[in-house]
Amino acid sequence: MTAIRLSLLVSTVAVAASLPFGILVALALSRGRFFGKSILNGIVHLPLILPPVVTGFLLLILFGRKGPIGAFLDQYFGIVFSFRWTGAALACAVMGFPLLVRSIRLSLDAVDRKLEDAAGTLGANPAWVFLTVTLPLILPGVIAGMILSFAKSMGEFGATITFVSNIPGETQTLSAAIYTFTQVPGGDLGAMRLTIVAIAISMAALLASEFMAHLIGKRVNFE
């Protein structure tokens, strides 16, 4: 239960912290016209291609206590990521970020720009147009991306265990707990129980994502 609660906490924090950045990056990739757009797109989706252990190692180098970013955050703000549950949330956020961005970007691409232009001609500034017109239209995609990112975070293992290790009660998430059970005699029953929980959570997330995609399709057909 401790591992399940920790996984839920880590996944929730990871999604909530990455959502604003995900929306901004999706906007840049969908609407932006700038040099290096393909490079940005590649960097965003890199965690999907790289082995998770590589991502975790890079996070350890950058956000560890002696890393350039980690040392700065620790010295001036007292924020520590390595070997803490906050580091697990950071690793999960990085691993789930491509799924979040992609879902939001696809929703943005499906928005009829004429609706936004009409709001602009009525005197609304770009920020207000986004909040009142664009955001409600892409909301199903945003929710679908959040669900997929949450599911990815719940199942994350390689980057997390490399960056924050496998400390019971602190960084031992659901996947790490299953791995631990498989390494001890008589741990098969505990591993099976957690496996069933992981399957149930992942299936629920996928069904919810499909439902949101169905809503997006109905909206596009209606328009």
Side-chain angles (χ1 to χ4, degrees):
M1 290 303 299
T2 301
I4 294 172
R5 286 195 295 267
L6 181 61
S7 293
L8 291 173
L9 172 64
V10 166
S11 300
T12 301
V13 171
V15 174
S18 60
L19 180 59
F21 300 100
I23 293 176
L24 291 176
V25 173
L27 275 171
L29 293 176
S30 177
R31 306 289 177 82
R33 298 292 184 270
F34 55 90
F35 177 77
K37 182 177 177 179
S38 298
I39 297 176
L40 175 61
N41 185 59
I43 293 174
V44 168
H45 290 87
L46 203 57
L48 290 178
I49 308 301
L50 286 175
V53 175
V54 174
T55 303
F57 179 67
L58 292 175
L59 289 174
L60 185 61
I61 292 177
L62 295 174
F63 290 92
R65 285 183 177 272
K66 296 183 179 180
I69 302 177
F72 174 81
L73 294 175
D74 184 20
Q75 180 177 354
Y76 293 99
F77 301 99
I79 300 175
V80 178
F81 287 108
S82 57
F83 307 108
R84 301 282 180 86
W85 74 267
T86 51
L90 175 62
C92 290
V94 171
M95 295 302 295
F97 194 69
L99 300 176
L100 178 66
V101 172
R102 184 169 181 81
S103 181
I104 299 175
R105 181 184 180 181
L106 291 175
S107 295
L108 283 167
D109 291 341
V111 171
D112 187 356
R113 299 294 296 273
K114 295 179 181 179
L115 298 175
E116 297 173 320
D117 295 338
T121 58
L122 295 176
N125 59 59
W128 187 249
V129 170
F130 176 78
L131 291 175
T132 59
V133 178
T134 310
L135 187 57
L137 291 174
I138 68 171
L139 190 58
V142 173
I143 297 176
M146 292 173 64
I147 293 172
L148 289 175
S149 179
F150 181 86
K152 175 65 175 177
S153 298
M154 286 293 296
E156 171 52 36
F157 176 72
T160 303
I161 200 170
T162 304
F163 182 34
V164 297
S165 189
N166 184 13
I167 306 172
E170 180 66 33
T171 65
Q172 189 179 77
T173 57
L174 184 60
S175 299
I178 294 174
Y179 172 77
T180 300
F181 273 121
T182 62
Q183 302 303 304
V184 297
D188 293 345
L189 181 58
M192 180 58 66
R193 289 174 178 173
L194 291 181
T195 298
I196 293 173
V197 172
I199 292 173
I201 294 174
S202 299
M203 182 59 67
L206 288 174
L207 290 175
S209 177
E210 287 296 322
F211 177 73
M212 289 300 165
H214 179 66
L215 287 182
I216 295 174
K218 289 180 63 177
R219 189 204 72 204
V220 172
N221 292 334
F222 176 77
E223 292 176 351

